[in-house]
Amino acid sequence: MQRLYDSVEPRVMDEHMLKLAVEEQGPQEEAGPLARQEGILFKDVLSLRLDFQNILHIDSLWQFENLRKLQLDNNIIEKIEGLEHLVHLVWLDLSFNNIEAIEGLDTLVNLEDLSLFNNRISKIDSLDALVKLQVLSLGNNQIGNMMNIIYLRRFKALRTLSLSGNPIAESEDYKMFICAYLPDLGYLDFRRIDDHMKDLARSKHQYSIDGLKQQEHLTQARLDDERARQEELKKHKVAFVEHLNGSFLFDSMYAEDVEGNKLAYLPGVGELLQAYKDKFVIICLNIFEYGLKQQEKRKLELDTFNECIQEAIQENQEQGKRRIAKFEEKHLLSLNAIREQSNLTNIEIKIVEYGEDITELFNVLMTLEMHLVEQLEETINMFERNITDLVALFIENVQSLMAQCRDLENHHHEKLLEISINTLERIVKGELNEDLPDDVRALFVDKDTIVNAVGASHDIHLLKIDNREDELVTRTNSWCTHLVDTIHKDEIMRNRRRVKEINQYIDHMQNELDNLECSDVID
């Protein structure tokens, strides 16, 4: 099964090899010399054949960003790598190599046909990203566990499978097992699976398949729940209020608060702590709900802005198209009129007139673009003011609510300190009847010790509240700044592209006029 290193030196893909392959497989006949002279951009190549090249390592393919078909069979490749940029790949042939593990295919989400025939693969895995996979060739490998077939059930589009030449193919139940567990398969080892075989396989493995389906259903339900939770969390993060729809912030205040957890054992602190938590969580929920509402307002503002921008650009483009269409209609008449003239003086007059028409079109198109730039600048500035005001209002109100959290913490701190000092006095007088854990009693050595313990707990809580507020404010401001900067940069780039388009078109028209020589016209 292993391809041996022969007398030819093992090779690594490099620029020279790829360029040579592209030239050899490029256009032939009349187009061939022109393509070789001007060069073929790797990003324009759709199909590439690199078989029988004694390639040891896959490399340097990052420029082939639009490649659809890649042939790497009959080499000495040991590892699947260097394919991460080929996201448009549909067909991949890695057969007749020395590959031991399936890997390096995570970005090939459009792959439909994969051949790993005649390698040294012992396990089918790491294909999860290939959701469009229809054809899989794994014949002549070292796959010996029938459980590998179960893994393939996740590929709903898989219709053709080849596993002949593997240890599992020697199993008496090989074909029946595959037909039962992969019921949508149409071809196995290059032979069509008929309905009779599918019925027999389903009957034989019905009990096991029912159990597997139930397990898959439960697994899928858990995945769906987790996906839904992640989607919700994503929405909350966009609104900058994630984890504020519950007790997460409150719980985090006590997660690292050793002294506060000890003080919770004091008489009366349990009830005090619960009341504090209830009020604190209500404020967090208020922040959360307010944040979601404000996010909807920001989204509406942004959507409205984008619609206005697109409408303005589209209307401007339509005006430009109408002027160009009118010019081109006149352009054909002007060229015909020049060609029909036999008098040199009349030809020169027509050429001058045509040149003036080109200049007039240039001025019209540039004026339209200038008006659009002014219109968009005004719209962008208005949007910037609106979104900045929304963000400022959001931050101001959130800070007000966070201040309420701090007020609650200060009130709790005062009550906790009062209870702690009263407890110390009772301990000193021997009036404390409640049993306290030893580490809690250790705090009540003197007043300074207990005051310091309560103060340390208070500082931790305030720090958590401050950090969450700072994080929200920083992220919100950063989002706003980045959004506005991006909009301004996008408009600058749009304007530059449009000016370049206008100049290129006008240059083309002018060159066409310049190439119209009087002598050719007279001839």
Side-chain angles (χ1 to χ4, degrees):
M1 221 179 275
Q2 179 179 358
R3 281 182 49 79
L4 302 176
Y5 294 85
D6 52 29
S7 56
V8 180
E9 186 73 20
R11 302 172 66 188
V12 178
M13 287 185 195
D14 56 21
E15 192 86 7
H16 175 72
M17 177 194 288
L18 296 172
K19 186 176 181 181
L20 187 63
V22 168
E23 289 178 352
E24 289 178 350
Q25 299 161 40
Q28 303 300 320
E29 300 177 353
E30 294 182 4
L34 181 60
R36 284 189 288 274
Q37 180 180 351
E38 296 184 354
I40 301 175
L41 296 176
F42 286 174
K43 70 179 183 66
D44 295 330
V45 176
L46 300 180
S47 177
L48 183 62
R49 192 177 70 250
L50 293 166
D51 53 336
F52 296 98
Q53 297 286 333
N54 243 48
I55 295 170
L56 179 61
H57 295 297
I58 305 172
D59 199 5
S60 304
L61 290 172
W62 60 272
Q63 296 181 73
F64 292 84
E65 56 191 63
N66 292 306
L67 198 65
R68 301 292 192 277
K69 181 176 180 179
L70 177 59
Q71 194 169 335
L72 286 166
D73 59 286
N74 290 281
N75 286 290
I76 52 175
I77 297 167
E78 297 178 346
K79 183 178 182 180
I80 305 175
E81 58 187 344
L83 303 176
E84 57 272 8
H85 296 286
L86 309 185
V87 295
H88 298 293
L89 207 61
V90 175
W91 191 94
L92 175 61
D93 189 354
L94 285 163
S95 56
F96 295 95
N97 281 287
N98 295 328
I99 298 167
E100 295 184 357
I102 301 174
E103 58 187 332
L105 303 173
D106 294 341
T107 61
L108 308 188
V109 294
N110 291 298
L111 199 65
E112 297 177 2
D113 193 317
L114 173 62
S115 178
L116 289 163
F117 186 85
N118 211 97
N119 279 280
R120 293 185 286 168
I121 296 167
S122 58
K123 184 179 181 182
I124 306 176
D125 63 356
S126 303
L127 295 170
D128 299 50
L130 279 55
V131 293
K132 297 182 180 180
L133 190 64
Q134 298 178 20
V135 179
L136 179 61
S137 177
L138 281 165
N140 281 20
N141 276 281
Q142 300 173 6
I143 301 166
N145 191 337
M146 292 293 282
M147 290 300 103
N148 283 282
I149 305 304
I150 306 299
Y151 173 76
L152 295 176
R153 284 175 62 83
R154 69 193 64 197
F155 301 102
K156 306 304 181 184
L158 187 64
R159 295 296 178 268
T160 301
L161 177 66
S162 170
L163 288 168
S164 60
N166 284 279
I168 60 170
E170 299 173 6
S171 170
E172 183 178 345
D173 197 36
Y174 164 68
K175 187 172 183 180
M176 198 77 73
F177 187 91
I178 291 178
C179 292
Y181 283 89
L182 301 177
D184 295 326
L185 208 61
Y187 293 87
L188 176 61
D189 298 332
F190 309 107
R191 291 189 177 185
R192 185 178 177 276
I193 304 172
D194 58 45
D195 292 338
H196 179 64
M197 172 60 73
K198 290 184 178 182
D199 291 339
L200 288 176
R202 184 164 49 249
S203 299
K204 182 177 181 179
H205 293 274
Q206 186 68 50
Y207 180 77
S208 298
I209 290 174
D210 287 345
L212 180 61
K213 284 183 177 178
Q214 185 177 3
Q215 183 180 350
E216 288 175 341
H217 176 73
L218 292 174
T219 301
Q220 187 60 48
R222 285 194 295 270
L223 290 173
D224 291 343
D225 288 343
E226 179 59 27
R227 191 177 296 111
R229 282 194 293 271
Q230 291 299 323
E231 286 297 320
E232 281 298 303
L233 180 59
K234 185 178 179 181
K235 292 178 183 177
H236 301 166
K237 285 183 176 180
V238 170
F240 312 109
V241 291
E242 70 276 11
H243 304 309
L244 288 173
N245 55 334
S247 62
F248 180 85
L249 179 57
F250 185 88
D251 295 339
S252 71
M253 288 160 47
Y254 282 88
E256 301 171 6
D257 182 11
V258 178
E259 308 299 346
N261 287 310
K262 291 178 182 178
L263 294 169
Y265 287 96
L266 298 183
V269 173
E271 296 81 0
L272 178 68
L273 192 60
Q274 187 59 51
Y276 174 33
K277 181 176 181 177
D278 292 342
K279 294 176 182 178
F280 193 96
V281 170
I282 288 174
I283 296 175
C284 288
L285 287 172
N286 288 338
I287 296 173
F288 176 79
E289 291 169 2
Y290 175 69
L292 293 182
K293 290 178 181 178
Q294 287 300 301
Q295 166 57 20
E296 286 299 318
K297 290 183 179 180
R298 292 194 296 269
K299 183 178 182 299
L300 179 61
E301 186 70 32
L302 182 58
D303 290 343
T304 303
F305 164 75
N306 286 328
E307 288 177 9
C308 291
I309 291 293
Q310 291 305 316
E311 287 177 5
I313 292 174
Q314 187 172 356
E315 182 180 351
N316 186 273
Q317 287 176 342
E318 291 299 326
Q319 293 182 34
K321 287 177 182 178
R322 287 194 294 269
R323 296 305 298 257
I324 290 174
K326 184 177 180 181
F327 168 80
E328 289 184 345
E329 183 180 351
K330 185 178 180 181
H331 162 69
L332 292 175
L333 295 175
S334 299
L335 289 180
N336 291 332
I338 293 172
R339 291 190 178 99
E340 290 172 0
Q341 286 290 338
S342 57
N343 185 284
L344 183 59
T345 302
N346 291 338
I347 290 174
E348 290 176 347
I349 293 173
K350 291 290 184 182
I351 289 176
V352 170
E353 290 176 352
Y354 185 38
E356 291 174 350
D357 290 341
I358 294 175
T359 302
E360 181 184 358
L361 177 64
F362 174 77
N363 292 333
V364 168
L365 294 178
M366 290 302 292
T367 301
L368 282 174
E369 176 58 21
M370 288 174 61
H371 289 161
L372 179 61
V373 167
E374 293 173 357
Q375 182 181 355
L376 295 186
E377 184 179 1
E378 182 179 347
T379 304
I380 291 171
N381 289 337
M382 182 181 297
F383 169 77
E384 183 176 354
R385 287 193 297 271
N386 292 344
I387 201 70
T388 302
D389 289 344
L390 279 174
V391 165
L393 179 63
F394 171 61
I395 289 174
E396 180 183 347
N397 288 331
V398 167
Q399 287 176 326
S400 176
L401 289 167
M402 282 294 188
Q404 294 180 29
C405 289
R406 275 187 286 272
D407 290 341
L408 279 178
E409 168 57 30
N410 290 331
H411 176 73
H412 176 75
H413 168 66
E414 292 173 1
K415 290 294 184 181
L416 181 60
L417 183 59
E418 181 181 332
I419 291 174
S420 298
I421 293 175
N422 288 336
T423 303
L424 176 61
E425 292 175 352
R426 290 172 62 192
I427 290 174
V428 171
K429 295 177 181 179
E431 298 176 354
L432 185 67
N433 298 322
E434 293 85 357
D435 290 331
L436 296 177
D438 292 340
D439 57 345
V440 177
R441 280 190 173 273
L443 296 175
F444 292 88
V445 177
D446 52 39
K447 186 175 181 180
D448 288 342
T449 302
I450 193 62
V451 169
N452 289 337
V454 175
S457 175
H458 181 51
D459 290 342
I460 290 174
H461 298 175
L462 289 177
L463 182 62
K464 287 288 184 180
I465 296 171
D466 291 345
N467 286 346
R468 186 61 181 93
E469 179 183 332
D470 290 344
E471 179 196 359
L472 185 149
V473 171
T474 300
R475 283 172 50 204
T476 307
N477 282 327
S478 296
W479 171 83
C480 184
T481 301
H482 177 72
L483 175 64
V484 172
D485 288 347
T486 301
I487 289 172
H488 281 292
K489 289 176 183 177
D490 288 347
E491 167 53 18
I492 291 172
M493 295 304 296
R494 184 211 62 79
N495 172 245
R496 289 176 178 174
R497 286 194 301 270
R498 181 55 178 164
V499 171
K500 183 178 179 181
E501 288 173 0
I502 293 172
N503 281 309
Q504 287 177 337
Y505 180 77
I506 295 300
D507 288 345
H508 173 71
M509 293 292 104
Q510 191 62 52
N511 289 336
E512 196 174 44
L513 178 61
D514 294 341
N515 292 332
L516 195 62
E517 299 178 2
C518 292
S519 57
D520 293 335
V521 175
I522 294 173
D523 291 343

